[in-house]
Amino acid sequence: MLIVMQAGATQAEIERVLARVRELGFTPHPIPGRHRVAVGITGNPGPLDPHLFEVLPGVKEAIPVSRPYKLVSRETHPESSVVEVGGVPIGAGHFAVIAGPCSVESREQVLAAARAARSGGAQLLRGGAFKPRTSPYAFQGLGRQGLELLAEARAETGLPVVTEALDLHSLEAVVELADCIQIGARSMQNFSLLREAGRAGKPVLLKRGLAATLEEWLMAAEYILSEGNRRVILCERGVRTFADHARNTLDVAAVPAIQRLSHLPVIVDPSHAAGIRHLVGPLALAGVAAGADGLMIEIHPEPERALSDGPQALTPAEFAGLMAAVQRVRQALAPRAEPAVVPSGAPGQPS
Amino acid sequence: MLIVMQAGATQAEIERVLARVRELGFTPHPIPGRHRVAVGITGNPGPLDPHLFEVLPGVKEAIPVSRPYKLVSRETHPESSVVEVGGVPIGAGHFAVIAGPCSVESREQVLAAARAARSGGAQLLRGGAFKPRTSPYAFQGLGRQGLELLAEARAETGLPVVTEALDLHSLEAVVELADCIQIGARSMQNFSLLREAGRAGKPVLLKRGLAATLEEWLMAAEYILSEGNRRVILCERGVRTFADHARNTLDVAAVPAIQRLSHLPVIVDPSHAAGIRHLVGPLALAGVAAGADGLMIEIHPEPERALSDGPQALTPAEFAGLMAAVQRVRQALAPRAEPAVVPSGAPGQPS
Amino acid sequence: MLIVMQAGATQAEIERVLARVRELGFTPHPIPGRHRVAVGITGNPGPLDPHLFEVLPGVKEAIPVSRPYKLVSRETHPESSVVEVGGVPIGAGHFAVIAGPCSVESREQVLAAARAARSGGAQLLRGGAFKPRTSPYAFQGLGRQGLELLAEARAETGLPVVTEALDLHSLEAVVELADCIQIGARSMQNFSLLREAGRAGKPVLLKRGLAATLEEWLMAAEYILSEGNRRVILCERGVRTFADHARNTLDVAAVPAIQRLSHLPVIVDPSHAAGIRHLVGPLALAGVAAGADGLMIEIHPEPERALSDGPQALTPAEFAGLMAAVQRVRQALAPRAEPAVVPSGAPGQPS
Amino acid sequence: MLIVMQAGATQAEIERVLARVRELGFTPHPIPGRHRVAVGITGNPGPLDPHLFEVLPGVKEAIPVSRPYKLVSRETHPESSVVEVGGVPIGAGHFAVIAGPCSVESREQVLAAARAARSGGAQLLRGGAFKPRTSPYAFQGLGRQGLELLAEARAETGLPVVTEALDLHSLEAVVELADCIQIGARSMQNFSLLREAGRAGKPVLLKRGLAATLEEWLMAAEYILSEGNRRVILCERGVRTFADHARNTLDVAAVPAIQRLSHLPVIVDPSHAAGIRHLVGPLALAGVAAGADGLMIEIHPEPERALSDGPQALTPAEFAGLMAAVQRVRQALAPRAEPAVVPSGAPGQPS
């Protein structure tokens, strides 16, 4: 924390700031300047609220200088983490694609989608059984029955299942029947749910909130890690801006920025960012080129018949075509990406 | 829904669109234009997903023309609603102020704050017992004990209590001990919580999400009303933008815009929008001048000692001064505001 | 500037930072902390680019601690400024309303609007002769002829004229025929135009850019003041956000925030923020309640016939009604506002 | 235009709308619905202002259904355009990289940068001679002397020059000495400058404004085309959002979205989006993978010594490394990208 005094701050005002810092148990370091005095603080165990000092007379600003997160930080864990989902590794050079329908609608649909996911080259199956819907009148998902259909599709295709939990009730079912708990964008700051997901003993896919900063997103992950669960995968899915040509604005810079701040794997969901099919491919490839550790893509055997988000779902053929392009881009990047991310012999190294 | 065909759409493409509309059970109305054809749709019970049609060949755009909400809409309920909280009416000309500390910290603090709220002119007491905190390491509130302290403050001052529920667990305690369930900005799309709040038999104060459109906000309220609870108060608390001079950007236009779309009362929380004390007064007065049905303001007997959000809390003296100004501005608006909002003899008329 | 080193920065990396600071001619102040070292910098004449240091090895972040503007700053000029436009004072307790049509369309229209402005209580007349239009095919204004019509309206009503200059060509005509040069939102960072406006010898009304921070806005004003022209009025007119219920999001907190940072008067344009008539009144009153030094409002004798922005223009009767409410709110605020803003005997005191 | 009436609109209100449409010279098409009536409009030469109708009693909303731009639209010009800059083609499968320093600082610096640009694989040279700076006290560029140094670098390296014009004065010099006129983000709606650039007889690189929608951006291009200059290249450089981990948020979806709406080439500037070196490479590759027709990248022989934007400039070695990766990603995309964009035998086909 650095406290910047106003240009005309009196000696008494400065003394009061120093006294307040000592009173809180920390050490103040006055820095005299040409126009004003600043006061550095050391000895604090973690970040302080700037406003603690900004309310004192003569103080112009208090500026935090340390990050509030710890367990997710690359400073405390320099090697990239590998998170395994049902035996599929993600992160530190391991790339994985999660594909499947927005919602589980029927046995036939989810099996067809799972086969298309596997034959297109996906390693994991997605599908919503509990759906967060803006309208109370919209289709809310098949619930537990949807999870059972996903489990059946897993039995047939061998693809582990990633699916969203909305609340404590659906979390229980997801933990019982699926391989990875998805926390959606609208739930990113549902702190009770984050804590429970942290205790559930399954890996967690944490989507970025619609208007979340990277710090808030990492703090949400910190909730999960602080409960003892280090198996968190972050997922960029676009943020809300004034732009209206896509459903959300894919913040592709978040991928390398997160990779610098945190050891956790980060993947990209181009489907929810795009909102419309013809943007999904370009955004998927952009995410891969920016260094994402994986993709999450919506596919549907018959998008025109989908009960939710059909227009952004790829057909099996489109998905297979995109996966081939993803593969080629991954190879094009290979000489550049791997060595930098995983130092030889590091814990995160691919086996 | 209006479907706009591309300039060069073929007759076969147009026929396919008409067939698809009929297949869904609705009636298509082709509108030939100079450059292109459009197709209106009637007979649909509610809004359709534009993408249902945008995936068809030759379609340029599909434009929704009806609103997705019903119970909250002023179209279906033209008179402004009055919501009572512990006997205090809000809406349709009834103005109410909710004041109190960000967090309940101690008996002494909450009693001092409640007395300051009452003597300053507030009708309701706020105070957080269950706190949504960005960091898992920050103070999370006193929980049930906090609610009991609030109940004690209510017993002494007579002010009904508004306090936040974060999840089903805290909701139970809030319903038992408080008078109004607050749903915070981060929980605006926690649909399980909204449904439970709708069944809880207490009025609900629903804050706007950080990046929520008015439609999403009203749809969140629709979740509560669709469970049979019509006692919902909306609260504008600022949205997230690029601007960095306040914690959030108070969207004061949301007040008259909501009042046109919905019959529900809408109040303003200047404290969370401001994030810093010196902006609270101007934003509170701006909200009142824009026609808000009430205010929610953080006060603290000793802001410098607050465990959370101290820098935005007003002192008892500042609060009393602000309330006097609010009162004067309310009177200044009086001849203009009331008659327009509450037609004589209407259900929403103040008694 | 405060440079924060990474947790594991080496002594050599710290030395290099110290050397770089000295090389730039400034003084480094190392501040050792528990986890990391920070380095304060003094002796710099103005703000430094943080990236100067962030590119050095071992540096985590460089944080600016002084503001880049000077002449507009309240630190260098503590009293509120009064800017006179054609004899009408604005700022430091002097409140003024600028009203008139979006575009000058005809002699009849501008004279009718000017009479309505005066009789409603405006002190100044607005009207666009040179129009910035998103489309090259839209009405671009009457140009010099429009200015002449405004001058004619001034001659009849006595209201000084505020009108937009788009470029050096139109600036010349505006300086010749009008009383105040308006710089529009789209031109806020047209630095050539700002410089020329600074040399033109007329007061300048500077609108905030669509996505401008307060710092960028004040720096744009600094361009004008740095050419020797201190007569600048700032105008908040809404910013661009995700919100879609108004044309722009009026950032009402900008008013008190600017008044704290700068001595320049700041007014509010509710018409462009609203984009639709029924929001204009509430936003105007909100701006007044937040402490604005004036308003700029679009009126039109027959809004349904306006060539531009008709839907947001008030009729003469609506304007007169709003002005009465503005007057009442101003009086309601009076005991609170003035003493705080204008210290007794200060240069900015109203006569 | 589709006019949607309120649920309870009277027959008289509907008649008035029909009459108004006819009065404007267009043809109304009433569409009766279950809950309300809508009115389609045909016969209008271009887009209408929705507010023309929204001010009429009984009207709920007026929804535009045609795009306001023409010459830039792919509907009117289905083949992708190729724009040549000094003999270098861009667009329709032709990919080009523009590299060079943010600002021209000295002969030595610009020559070193130009050599690095060429040897790294760039086809065009950039460099600012006239700089738009937020602060009047910052380095404003070398002006005409800078252009002469760029011309000297072109003479040595053979790279055509792209450089920014800020106003009519600098435009003249840019047209005289450079090969392509750059219009910066802050000038995107400087309509006088756009018109003059349209008349200047040189290709124009038009950057997207900080908060511009695609429609506004395309309308700005329309200004240039409407003056007879079809040689416009669009450049996405990030938009302003709440996100704070990069200088701007690169909106990578704008690339495929523009390519669908317009025939003009669109390139990506990762340097201004990133604001910091370590994000430039990932964003450049993301832009390429999304289908951009080129890149604009800042390089500097000694970034630590740069007078502006040094922290985002790549060193010559970093640039060469990035270009190799760009080349590999381009090849990886090749089988997918070209056939879709340029139909065999189409005018835009690469030779």
Side-chain angles (χ1 to χ4, degrees), chain D residues 147-168:
Chain D
L147 294 181
E148 286 164 357
L149 293 175
L150 285 166
E152 200 177 323
R154 174 180 53 200
E156 187 193 307
T157 60
L159 301 182
V161 166
V162 180
T163 193
E164 181 163 359
L166 289 178
D167 49 27
L168 304 190

Side-chain angles (χ1 to χ4, degrees), chain C residues 280-301:
Chain C
V280 172
L283 293 184
L285 294 170
V288 170
D293 296 302
L295 292 170
M296 182 171 216
I297 294 180
E298 286 189 7
I299 63 176
H300 195 285

Side-chain angles (χ1 to χ4, degrees), chain A residues 280-293:
Chain A
V280 172
L283 292 184
L285 295 170
V288 171
D293 296 304

Side-chain angles (χ1 to χ4, degrees), chain B residues 235-275:
Chain B
C235 179
E236 161 67 31
R237 42 76 75 203
V239 291
R240 181 157 281 177
T241 71
F242 67 87
D244 55 4
H245 55 281
R247 186 190 290 174
N248 295 288
T249 299
L250 185 73
D251 179 8
V252 79
V255 172
I258 282 285
Q259 285 170 340
R260 184 164 264 238
L261 295 172
S262 175
H263 56 89
L264 297 174
V266 56
I267 71 169
V268 162
D269 171 352
S271 303
H272 283 87

Side-chain angles (χ1 to χ4, degrees), chain B residues 223-239:
Chain B
Y223 263 90
I224 301 169
L225 272 76
S226 72
E227 296 293 332
N229 185 352
R230 301 184 65 90
R231 290 189 289 159
V232 174
I233 301 159
L234 300 168
C235 179
E236 161 67 31
R237 42 76 75 203
V239 291

Side-chain angles (χ1 to χ4, degrees), chain D residues 57-82:
Chain D
V59 171
K60 188 174 171 64
E61 255 183 309
I63 303 168
V65 301
S66 55
R67 303 281 185 190
Y69 40 82
K70 292 172 189 168
L71 302 174
V72 302
S73 169
R74 197 176 274 277
E75 278 198 50
T76 60
H77 187 291
E79 301 82 22
S80 296
S81 288
V82 180

Side-chain angles (χ1 to χ4, degrees), chain A residues 289-324:
Chain A
D293 296 304
L295 293 171
M296 182 171 216
I297 294 181
E298 287 189 6
I299 63 176
H300 196 285
E302 290 181 282
E304 293 188 19
R305 307 275 155 202
L307 294 181
S308 61
D309 282 351
Q312 75 197 27
L314 300 188
T315 62
E318 288 167 337
F319 176 65
L322 176 59
M323 282 304 96

